[in-house]
């Protein structure tokens, strides 16, 4: 597997403020930059979600033909560094971003859900502020579903299981306390 050694500039840290000296280690701070190299492979470039990265690269760089830039890399048409640069420049709305986040929601979706929740609360607050004295209060709305929240059918199943466990615990306690049961 091909490896690429990319120079990475690391600048020395100096002390700041009154009474602080320069760096406590030898050879740094004398005006020369510290240059380190990092070695990486194509697996490092593709990251934790190689299929999503490859799909995004093929989608955003169609000029590389069938297979996209990854195939072009394996054919020797582009360098590993150029493949890394393209992978690092992928947009935050592509397949890689969805794979990393675990859902397809964008910032606009989150903002719309927050706006809907706020509007629902404002409407309920307005209705409760202007209701009749003898009218019951309108209950507060449930928040909008978001990724990571349990689905409504999953919530019902969990609630039923909790009720069954509570009933079983109640029966065990009654069996221990009441001798005839």
């Amino acid at each position: 597997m091909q490896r690429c050694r990319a120079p990475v500039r690391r600048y020395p840290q100096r002390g700041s403020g009154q009474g602080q000296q320069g760096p406590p280690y030898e050879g740094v701070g004398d005006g020369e930059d510290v240059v380190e190299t990092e070695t990486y492979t194509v697996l490092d470039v593709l990251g934790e979600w190689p299929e999503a990265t490859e799909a995004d690269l093929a989608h955003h760089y169609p000029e590389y033909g069938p297979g996209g830039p990854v195939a072009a890399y394996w054919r020797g048409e582009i360098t590993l560094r150029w493949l890394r640069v393209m992978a690092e420049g992928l947009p935050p709305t592509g397949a890689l971003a969805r794979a990393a986040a675990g859902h397809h929601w964008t910032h606009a979706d989150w903002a719309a859900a927050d706006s809907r929740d706020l509007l629902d609360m404002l409407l309920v607050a307005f209705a409760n502020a202007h209701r009749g004295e003898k009218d019951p209060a309108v209950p507060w709305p449930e928040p909008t579903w978001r990724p990571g929240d349990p689905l409504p059918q999953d919530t019902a199943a969990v609630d039923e299981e909790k009720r069954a466990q509570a009933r079983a615990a109640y029966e065990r306690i009654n069996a221990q306390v009441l001798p005839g049961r």
Side-chain angles (χ1 to χ4, degrees):
M1 184 176 292
Q2 181 181 358
R3 294 186 181 274
C4 184
R5 295 181 61 80
V8 178
R9 292 212 170 262
R10 307 257 190 240
Y11 296 100
Q13 299 288 325
R14 291 189 163 261
S16 61
Q18 292 182 347
Q20 290 189 353
Q21 300 296 318
Y25 41 92
E26 196 75 319
V28 176
D30 55 3
E32 294 184 24
D33 295 339
V34 176
V35 177
E36 298 177 5
T37 57
E38 293 181 4
T39 303
Y40 59 94
T41 66
V42 70
L43 296 176
D44 297 323
V45 170
L46 295 178
E48 293 182 49
W49 300 279
E51 292 85 7
T53 306
E54 188 173 359
D56 263 357
L57 286 168
H59 175 75
H60 293 288
Y61 300 101
E63 63 271 12
Y64 287 97
V70 175
Y73 165 74
W74 289 116
R75 289 190 301 261
E77 297 171 7
I78 62 172
T79 64
L80 181 59
R81 180 192 174 280
W82 186 240
L83 183 66
R84 178 183 57 86
V85 168
M86 287 190 284
E88 288 176 353
L90 290 173
T93 57
L96 179 60
R98 289 191 304 271
H103 56 77
H104 67 280
W105 276 40
T106 62
H107 291 290
D109 296 324
W110 288 96
D114 290 342
S115 298
R116 178 178 175 213
D117 287 346
L118 182 61
L119 183 61
D120 287 347
M121 289 191 313
L122 288 171
L123 288 172
V124 169
F126 182 82
N128 283 334
H130 297 288
R131 66 184 165 91
E133 290 182 21
K134 297 185 189 224
D135 293 336
V138 178
W140 288 104
E142 291 293 321
T144 303
W145 181 88
R146 289 170 172 79
D149 292 347
L151 297 172
Q153 61 267 24
D154 296 342
T155 305
V158 168
D159 290 345
E160 184 62 34
E161 184 178 326
K162 285 181 182 178
R163 279 194 291 278
Q165 288 175 348
R167 183 72 182 169
Y170 174 76
E171 293 295 330
R172 272 196 312 273
I173 291 171
N174 277 344
Q176 291 172 356
V177 175
L178 303 173
R181 285 192 97 180

